Amino acid sequence: MGHDEAEPQGSLHRPNQDWYCTDDGEEWPCPIHKRRMWTYYQDDHLRLEGIMNRFRDRAMVSGMSHEIATARFVGWVRNPPVRQVKRSI
């Protein structure tokens, strides 16, 4: 798995206890983590969905609602994250 060009090597993009990314402060899973996971599990989306379901369950135990946790942790798995391309004018 390669790393994003704009990202410092060693960035892990893991969740903190409040479910925000430790590297970029975005809601976790952040866009970079989603792309990494999607790339790594590109041939096994069911496994990725199972992994993200476990994160969803942990977030719900910590107080996140089922609807928000499902959308945030599992909703993106069946729709690949899109890399935003900068356009020059």
Side-chain angles (χ1 to χ4, degrees):
M1 218 179 340
H3 63 83
D4 290 16
E5 292 176 18
E7 170 190 11
Q9 275 187 305
S11 296
L12 298 175
H13 294 275
R14 302 207 181 208
N16 65 18
Q17 66 186 15
D18 296 319
W19 298 102
Y20 285 89
C21 178
T22 57
D23 287 295
D24 60 29
E26 298 278 337
E27 288 185 345
W28 196 89
C30 66
I32 291 172
H33 188 78
K34 287 177 184 178
R35 282 194 304 272
R36 286 179 175 174
M37 295 293 281
W38 183 262
T39 300
Y40 189 81
Y41 290 102
Q42 65 186 348
D43 296 325
D44 196 354
H45 295 140
L46 289 177
R47 185 168 180 204
L48 175 57
E49 189 169 351
I51 291 166
M52 296 313 295
N53 275 322
R54 288 191 291 279
F55 279 111
R56 179 205 59 201
D57 294 346
R58 287 174 51 197
M60 287 171 32
V61 167
S62 68
M64 193 178 292
S65 75
H66 180 268
E67 293 78 18
I68 291 173
T70 298
R72 186 162 154 183
F73 292 92
V74 185
W76 64 272
V77 173
R78 294 184 184 207
N79 299 305
V82 176
R83 178 181 287 248
Q84 293 182 349
V85 178
K86 292 182 182 178
R87 296 182 183 180
S88 59
I89 299 175

